Structure formats: structure tokens, C-alpha cells
Amino acid sequence: MILTVTLNAAIDKRYVVENLQLSEVNRIIECSYTAGGKGLNVSRVASIAGEKVIATGFVGGHAGEYIIEQIEKQKIQNAFIKVKGESRSCINIYDITNHTQTEFLEPGLFVDNSSQEELLKMYQELVQTCDVVTISGSLPQGCDQQIYQKLVSLAKEAGKKVIVDASGNLLQESIKAKPTMIKPNIDEIKALTGMEGLSREELITAAKTIVRSGVEIVAISLGKEGTLTVCEEGVYQVTVPKIDVINTVGCGDSMVAGFAIGLARKMPLEEILKFASAISVANAMQLETGFFVKEEMEKILPLIRVKLIKKTEELNEGVPT
Ligand code: TA6
């Protein structure tokens, strides 16, 4: 079972437009609403893959009711803390003329200390019932910046694997609690290292430093270039087949879901890398965020290539022990 944490749940609104123009009236051709926020995308993808999921976090107001209604329709078990205010909307503008995606992410509602305490208390019970925990996305307003650290520590104290998908200071703080895995993209790795224009070797060195600090797996998503994963065995390069990309929003969340499923099913790491990458690619083939078609994923799976490009001993060359 996977426990997903979405502290800043959202209604994801996708607007399809033709030739988006700033300072003009842009008529929307098609719009769709889904329960979103990274953790709820992880929940939906894991549920499609056949994994039992329970989702927790904060929701509020009519928007919060809508989010709960949507995830219950998707048969996703949930235990959200209801707070005052309205859950946010995250807008994804999909320009079919210029093939661009532009996102507007609201900051989210305000969560007071007592609601945060209530969540931590419930989380400690939920963690006992799961195999893997995923903690994803931004924090709502008022949230303690150390809350991800606390959630990671509680999961580890309960002997559970825990994946964090966050950015900036939140990711930096989370790493201090030594999560099982993080999945930064290149910008997030640059922010962690404070370095610009990272070469592949510098990316690997940065990830290796994080692994040395106690994070078991650092999977750097490189978009259509696949993934570079650094762990105790060494460095794996994952390459993915070329596809007709429809919508890449949610690919990172789909990858997190794939990793969580693989860890829950105790798959060998190379199988997890293939499985997670295939789900992420399959998500990009769908207009809907955080969604994939199993048959498409199964066709992609054999086309994923995983290669151990560096062993640990090579990684440690020249490093004082
Ligand atoms: O990764 C895509 C997405 O989950 C969107 O669906 C939207 O909800 C956004 O990210 C939320 O990101 P945030 O980092 O604010 O939680």
C-alpha cells in the first residue's frame, strides 16, 4: 500500500487554446478539471497501475469537496484534514498552435498550527498501514518549513520507504531527514548545488554527494533524455523511446508513482527504473495530467534501456575515505 501526502492539494484546470496571446482575450477551446497537486497525481497513477493507495493532506472549502469527490470517484482511499479557506486551482494552458504548456500555480490556502498537528497525528497512524510513503509538491501558506523533515523522520522511524518530490528550500530541508529517495529535475539539482550549467559529470557528482549524505536513491529526471539515477550500486542511465508527446505535465509525478510501486513490490532497482520510466513516458502520451493507459505502458516497457554506466568504486575514485 502507498500513502501519498499532498499538503497543497489543487483542482488542476487545463485550458486548451489556439495561439495564446498576452494582453488579448483568449477563448478556451476545451477545459478539463482534475483533482491535482503532485501527490494526488501520484495517487491516481499508482491506482491505475493496480496499487492500493491512501491519500492524505489538506483540503478546504467547496474546492476541497470537489477534490475529495473526484478522488473517491477514482476509488482512491483518502483521509484529508479539512481546513478553512478554499483549496487552490493550478492552471495549465496548453497552446495547440505553438505546442507550449504554461502553468499558473496558486500559492494555496492557509493552514494553522493546530491543523498541522492534527495532520501529523493522523499521519503517524496511516504510516503504520503502508509500505511506502510519497511526499510531493509545495506547502500551503502558514506551513512549518520543517514539516517534510518531520514526515520523513516519522516514516523512517516506522521502517517505511519514503520518497520526496519537492523543490528549493523544502527539498534541502527534506534531505536532512535522509529520505529513501528524491527525484529532482535539473533545475532542482542546480538549486541544491548552487551551480549553473551542470555537465553530466557535475550532475553525477552532485547526486553522489546527496547519496553520501544518506539518501539511498537520487533519480534526476532529464525529460525526453531519460533519467540519471545515482545510488549505492553506482550510476544508472535510463533511456526512453521517442514518442509523440501530448502533455508532459505530471510526468514527474508518474515517475514517483512508478518508483513507489516498485519499492512497495520489492522489485530489483533496474526493474523499478524501467517500470517508473515507462509509466512516465505513457503519461506524456495522454492529455490528462497524472494519467496513463496500461496497454500503452506495457508496449513502452520493453523499449526502455537501463545501463549501469559507473560502479560505486569508480564513483569513489580520488575521494578521501
Ligand atoms: O507536476 C504537475 C503538478 O502536480 C500540477 O498538476 C499542479 O498541481 C502542480 O504540479 C502543483 O505543483 P506544486 O509544486 O505547487 O505542488
Side-chain angles (χ1 to χ4, degrees):
M1 161 113 100
I2 296 168
L3 170 62
T4 63
V5 180
T6 312
L7 298 188
N8 207 3
I11 299 176
D12 276 354
K13 298 179 177 176
R14 185 181 56 253
Y15 300 156
V16 178
V17 297
E18 279 173 334
N19 199 17
L20 177 67
Q21 296 298 311
L22 293 180
S23 311
E24 298 285 344
V25 173
N26 292 265
R27 292 270 177 205
I28 294 168
I29 300 169
E30 181 196 312
C31 52
S32 68
Y33 302 161
T34 49
K38 295 184 173 2
L40 283 179
N41 291 331
V42 173
S43 308
R44 186 165 47 249
V45 168
S47 178
I48 294 169
E51 200 66 23
K52 263 176 76 74
V53 176
I54 181 160
T56 188
F58 296 114
V59 290
H62 298 293
E65 292 304 324
Y66 177 81
I67 291 168
I68 298 291
E69 202 182 280
Q70 291 302 308
I71 56 180
E72 284 183 350
K73 273 187 198 155
Q74 292 152 8
K75 308 252 182 298
I76 295 169
Q77 224 186 317
N78 60 88
F80 276 82
I81 302 284
K82 294 184 179 170
V83 298
K84 283 199 289 296
E86 284 292 320
S87 287
R88 65 178 175 155
S89 291
C90 288
I91 313 297
N92 170 21
I93 298 180
Y94 185 76
D95 178 343
I96 46 175
T97 312
N98 302 298
H99 305 293
T100 58
Q101 313 242 9
T102 310
E103 286 192 88
F104 294 88
L105 307 182
E106 293 178 10
L109 41 61
F110 180 86
V111 176
D112 63 19
N113 291 337
S114 65
S115 300
Q116 293 175 53
E117 288 311 315
E118 196 185 341
L119 178 102
L120 286 168
K121 192 163 166 288
M122 181 172 70
Y123 175 83
Q124 291 184 69
E125 289 158 28
L126 293 173
V127 152
Q128 301 304 329
T129 65
C130 72
D131 304 293
V132 179
V133 182
T134 68
I135 304 169
S136 308
S138 61
L139 293 185
Q141 300 181 74
C143 238
D144 166 12
Q145 288 297 316
Q146 265 70 44
I147 195 164
Y148 275 18
Q149 242 184 64
K150 288 176 186 168
L151 293 170
V152 170
S153 302
L154 288 168
K156 292 188 71 177
E157 282 157 22
K160 311 296 178 180
K161 303 271 186 194
V162 49
I163 302 174
V164 172
D165 180 13
S167 45
N169 187 48
L170 201 47
L171 179 57
Q172 194 100 39
E173 289 299 311
S174 306
I175 289 171
K176 292 176 186 168
K178 304 186 171 78
T180 311
M181 176 186 165
I182 61 170
K183 187 210 57 68
N185 59 32
I186 295 190
D187 291 340
E188 287 156 350
I189 277 272
K190 282 182 193 168
L192 280 176
T193 56
M195 291 162 70
E196 274 304 319
L198 290 175
S199 69
R200 186 191 164 92
E201 279 312 308
E202 285 164 332
L203 273 177
I204 291 172
T205 304
K208 180 181 69 179
T209 308
I210 298 168
V211 169
R212 281 231 181 79
S213 75
V215 176
E216 280 177 45
I217 304 171
V218 177
I220 305 170
S221 44
L222 306 172
K224 59 181 185 302
E225 305 304 319
T227 317
L228 261 182
T229 298
V230 179
C231 55
E232 60 180 339
E233 288 87 354
V235 183
Y236 288 94
Q237 164 77 52
V238 179
T239 46
V240 297
K242 295 248 175 297
I243 57 154
D244 293 334
V245 171
I246 301 216
N247 175 11
T248 56
V249 176
C251 283
D253 309 331
S254 302
M255 181 163 286
V256 168
F259 271 102
I261 296 165
L263 290 170
R265 296 178 185 172
K266 298 184 172 38
M267 287 157 67
L269 181 63
E270 294 196 23
E271 293 312 308
I272 296 178
L273 291 170
K274 275 189 192 161
F275 183 73
S277 303
I279 292 184
S280 185
V281 169
N283 173 75
M285 296 165 74
Q286 296 293 324
L287 192 54
E288 188 176 345
T289 299
F291 177 82
F292 76 100
V293 173
K294 277 180 97 171
E295 291 70 24
E296 287 182 346
M297 187 278 276
E298 282 151 8
K299 280 193 200 125
I300 294 162
L301 193 55
L303 305 176
I304 306 284
R305 294 286 170 267
V306 176
K307 195 166 163 236
L308 183 63
I309 55 173
K310 269 186 195 294
K311 291 199 170 56
T312 301
E313 40 281 19
E314 293 170 72
L315 276 179
N316 294 340
E317 267 162 23
V319 176
T321 45

